[in-house]
Amino acid sequence: MSRTSRRDFLRGLTLLGVGAATGVGIVRAGQDDTVWQIDPMKCIQCGRCATHCVLAESAVKAVHVHLLCGHCDLCTAFFEPEPIDLNTGAENQLCPTGAIERNFIEEPYFSYVIDEPLCIGCGKCVKGCEMFGNGSMFLQIRHDRCTNCNACSIGDACPSKAISRVPASTPYLLKSTH
Amino acid sequence: MKRIALTLLLLGLATGAAWAEERFPPPEFETGYELPDTATPPPRTLTWERIDVAVLVLALSLATWLVLRKRSRRGVAWLGVGSLIYFGFFREGCVCPVGATQNVALAIFDSSYALPFCVLMFFVLPLGFALFAGRSFCSGVCPLGAIQEVVLLRPVGLPDFLERALRTLAYVYLGLAVYFAATGAAFVICRYDPFVGFFRLSGGFNMLVLGGCFLLIGVFVGRPYCRFLCPYGVLLDLAGRLSRWRVSITPAACVQCRLCEESCPYGAIALPSPRRDARARAAASRRLILLLVLLPLLVSVFAYLGSRAGKPLSLVHPTVDLALRVAAERDLSDAKASDETVAFRKTGETIVDLNVRARDRQAAFVAGGWWLGGWIGLVIGIMLIGLFTLPVRIDYEADRGRCLSCARCFPYCPTGHDRRRTLTGGAA
């Protein structure tokens, strides 16, 4: 009979335990990889997305589902609450970085397109759009930027706990017309 | 025309329409204007996570080979730099085995949380290697270790009692990290990771300052985070004590030349115990018996203190925090509503339901507090036992648990040089 030392015995026991736990873990492991995303229905546009991301320029940006947009002349996502005039003058705009392009389509409709590199994810436009408009603008984590941290630092700070992990096969929670 | 929108807007408000009801029906364009698509760039990290696991296995194997077979300090150092560049600066330090500890704790206590496969592998692989070959992960794979390794310029030794006391901090930190992760409150290891800000080249001011302090201390005290705080290092330490193969300072027999004594900047070389007379030995065993009797008492006292701390600690949990905010605002009608309570009212959940959830979390914190306190009592007790008892050791040995497999001591051993010369001489 071969001599088994106390260390060998304990190692065998630990290996058995770790192995069994790993087996259970693999069986129970999520089938799909997951990524962080904002549920736009929970979001209250507190503005922390712009400041709490680990990236200097937040991974959160405003997105616009044009299908839902009313294409209003007086867009409450684009204009200050009481604009001096309905034109693209900086003094009339709500967006602090001028990241929304406003273009005339046909009488009386305008298109509003977000220039993502300029957007800082503060959610001011989203608040305006939700309050008086269709809510076609909302905040989403952009996965070309998100580093998929183990613990989302915006999610920790989010007052409405709107950030959770979603399957990577459907990485966006876009509003739709349903 | 300009006012059409405004009229529609007021109409919309009057009906109290939710977003789905479309206050302003999307128009049909006559000019054939096509709606732009909403871009949805795909996640960039997913294939990388698989590659990370492969790189981890490769790096662990390489580190093990370099330390145990090749005995190459230079090889380990370069592997460390490589890992720092890949896992640190390129992959930006996430996910790492240190943080994965929390995912595993959460998965054990919260059955609704599905632990991702890659995270599980990151947690298990370095431990598996440690069970066979010691802390290969610490030697040249961990980016947190490597960033401290490169700043270590003027190593100074710490007195034994201080070293032991500080090392206990890591056990306490592990307990806290598991406690907060298991109760679903927060991932504290990730939140207070001092170096990840450097890897990402961005981060909060406080965290960058903290990381800077660690690096500054790290110039003199070798790897302060690894030795005195790293929670995963505790697990690797325990696994390393059971390892099948181990780092040995000398490749042959120890000749007690004392040359390696000062070579380890991490205080991991255990010196031969001095000869002691019978009286000293008897006193030591009396102290050991006394401490062993006192240990259960210490554990009980700390467990009780832990359970008392459960309630205040539960304030860290967002649900408990929210319930208190809501209650405070109800009591003070003129209080300014916080973002949290505004969001809570939007969900339509009743205050009663919220309080039930908060009380459930509070109970979990108190129950966990017993375990956390007991754990802290236990590690403090074991630290004291180690401090007041006398080990019996004949040779200079790398401590199985504490040795970070950095291979610094190898060149100091004259037996090694001798052997190398003989080997090359023989070959030529």
Side-chain angles (χ1 to χ4, degrees), chain A residues 29-92:
Chain A
Q31 291 302 306
D32 204 351
D33 291 300
T34 56
V35 289
W36 296 107
Q37 195 47 274
I38 301 171
D39 181 349
M41 307 312 281
K42 286 186 183 165
C43 172
I44 61 158
Q45 301 92 43
C46 63
R48 294 185 203 176
C49 285
T51 51
H52 280 71
C53 187
V54 295
L55 301 172
E57 182 195 335
S58 178
V60 173
K61 305 268 178 184
V63 298
H64 195 191
V65 174
H66 296 271
L67 200 63
L68 300 175
C69 177
H71 295 82
C72 312
D73 182 359
L74 172 61
C75 171
T76 50
F78 185 82
F79 288 111
E80 282 273 354
E82 281 169 21
I84 300 163
D85 202 354
L86 294 189
N87 62 36
T88 55
E91 69 279 12
N92 303 323

Side-chain angles (χ1 to χ4, degrees), chain B residues 157-352:
Chain B
L158 293 180
D160 185 56
F161 75 94
L162 187 61
E163 166 106 29
R164 281 174 192 273
L166 288 174
R167 230 166 34 221
T168 310
L169 281 179
Y171 288 78
V172 175
Y173 192 28
L174 172 68
L176 282 169
V178 170
Y179 182 63
F180 284 119
T183 48
F187 278 12
V188 286
I189 302 176
C190 299
R191 203 180 282 183
Y192 300 109
D193 182 337
F195 304 118
V196 77
F198 295 118
F199 296 155
R200 294 186 181 123
L201 306 177
S202 75
F205 177 73
N206 290 342
M207 292 319 292
L208 287 176
V209 168
L210 182 71
C213 289
F214 268 105
L215 290 183
L216 210 62
I217 296 169
V219 174
F220 306 102
V221 179
R223 292 208 194 186
Y225 186 79
C226 305
R227 285 155 76 198
F228 308 133
L229 276 173
C230 181
Y232 192 66
V234 169
L235 300 178
L236 289 173
D237 179 326
L238 297 175
R241 291 179 200 201
L242 303 174
S243 66
R244 172 77 179 77
W245 297 283
R246 65 187 300 189
V247 168
S248 92
I249 303 170
T250 171
C254 177
V255 294
Q256 310 265 338
C257 66
R258 301 181 56 188
L259 286 173
C260 65
E261 217 175 66
E262 304 285 313
S263 69
C264 183
Y266 310 126
I269 293 183
L271 310 182
S273 42
R275 277 183 185 285
R276 300 185 187 93
D277 58 14
R279 243 181 47 205
R281 278 207 301 272
S285 39
R286 268 201 306 279
R287 275 202 302 264
L288 177 64
I289 292 167
L290 180 70
L291 284 167
L292 283 176
V293 171
L294 284 177
L295 188 61
L297 187 71
L298 194 69
V299 171
S300 323
V301 169
F302 271 87
Y304 173 73
L305 291 176
S307 75
R308 299 288 298 180
K311 246 185 182 153
L313 285 175
S314 70
L315 292 177
V316 175
H317 198 284
T319 308
V320 179
D321 178 65
L322 177 62
L324 285 179
R325 279 173 194 266
V326 170
E329 278 179 26
R330 198 181 37 186
D331 295 343
L332 301 162
S333 50
D334 59 338
K336 193 177 172 297
S338 63
D339 290 335
E340 282 79 1
T341 51
V342 168
F344 168 69
R345 292 204 190 87
K346 197 180 158 194
T347 61
E349 189 186 10
T350 63
I351 296 181
V352 178

Side-chain angles (χ1 to χ4, degrees), chain B residues 51-234:
Chain B
I51 296 171
D52 285 349
V53 174
V55 174
L56 180 69
V57 173
L58 205 73
L60 282 169
S61 314
L62 194 59
T64 307
W65 179 71
L66 284 170
V67 173
L68 295 186
R69 287 304 294 258
K70 202 87 166 76
R71 297 176 60 84
S72 161
R73 164 67 196 151
R74 183 177 295 201
V76 173
W78 280 113
L79 180 63
V81 172
S83 298
L84 177 61
I85 292 170
Y86 180 80
F87 288 114
F89 290 102
F90 178 61
R91 299 290 297 129
E92 301 182 331
C94 231
V95 62
C96 76
V98 187
T101 313
Q102 303 162 109
N103 301 61
V104 172
L106 180 60
I108 290 170
F109 288 93
D110 179 359
S111 53
S112 67
Y113 174 71
L115 186 66
F117 175 77
C118 292
V119 175
L120 180 66
M121 286 298 109
F122 260 80
F123 178 74
V124 167
L125 284 171
L127 279 178
F129 269 80
L131 276 175
F132 287 96
R135 298 170 70 168
S136 308
F137 177 71
C138 303
S139 71
V141 186
C142 180
L144 302 178
I147 197 171
Q148 295 170 86
E149 186 94 32
V150 295
V151 298
L152 178 58
L153 300 172
R154 293 264 176 279
V156 292
L158 293 180
D160 185 56
F161 75 94
L162 187 61
E163 166 106 29
R164 281 174 192 273
L166 288 174
R167 230 166 34 221
T168 310
L169 281 179
Y171 288 78
V172 175
Y173 192 28
L174 172 68
L176 282 169
V178 170
Y179 182 63
F180 284 119
T183 48
F187 278 12
V188 286
I189 302 176
C190 299
R191 203 180 282 183
Y192 300 109
D193 182 337
F195 304 118
V196 77
F198 295 118
F199 296 155
R200 294 186 181 123
L201 306 177
S202 75
F205 177 73
N206 290 342
M207 292 319 292
L208 287 176
V209 168
L210 182 71
C213 289
F214 268 105
L215 290 183
L216 210 62
I217 296 169
V219 174
F220 306 102
V221 179
R223 292 208 194 186
Y225 186 79
C226 305
R227 285 155 76 198
F228 308 133
L229 276 173
C230 181
Y232 192 66
V234 169

Side-chain angles (χ1 to χ4, degrees), chain A residues 18-160:
Chain A
V18 171
T22 312
V24 173
I26 290 175
V27 170
R28 273 187 40 192
Q31 291 302 306
D32 204 351
D33 291 300
T34 56
V35 289
W36 296 107
Q37 195 47 274
I38 301 171
D39 181 349
M41 307 312 281
K42 286 186 183 165
C43 172
I44 61 158
Q45 301 92 43
C46 63
R48 294 185 203 176
C49 285
T51 51
H52 280 71
C53 187
V54 295
L55 301 172
E57 182 195 335
S58 178
V60 173
K61 305 268 178 184
V63 298
H64 195 191
V65 174
H66 296 271
L67 200 63
L68 300 175
C69 177
H71 295 82
C72 312
D73 182 359
L74 172 61
C75 171
T76 50
F78 185 82
F79 288 111
E80 282 273 354
E82 281 169 21
I84 300 163
D85 202 354
L86 294 189
N87 62 36
T88 55
E91 69 279 12
N92 303 323
Q93 289 190 33
L94 197 57
C95 181
T97 58
I100 305 177
E101 277 172 36
R102 178 179 193 257
N103 287 312
F104 177 72
I105 304 169
E106 62 185 49
E107 201 59 40
Y109 302 123
F110 286 80
S111 74
Y112 298 92
V113 180
I114 291 160
D115 184 358
E116 270 197 27
L118 286 182
C119 176
I120 57 167
C122 67
K124 287 201 165 90
C125 58
V126 177
K127 205 173 196 98
C129 187
E130 283 237 318
M131 214 179 285
F132 301 111
N134 287 352
S136 57
M137 276 184 197
F138 47 92
L139 293 174
Q140 287 283 283
I141 292 171
R142 306 306 274 164
H143 290 298
D144 50 340
R145 299 189 47 73
C146 176
T147 58
N148 202 15
C149 297
N150 194 20
C152 176
S153 140
I154 311 175
D156 283 345
C158 176
S160 53

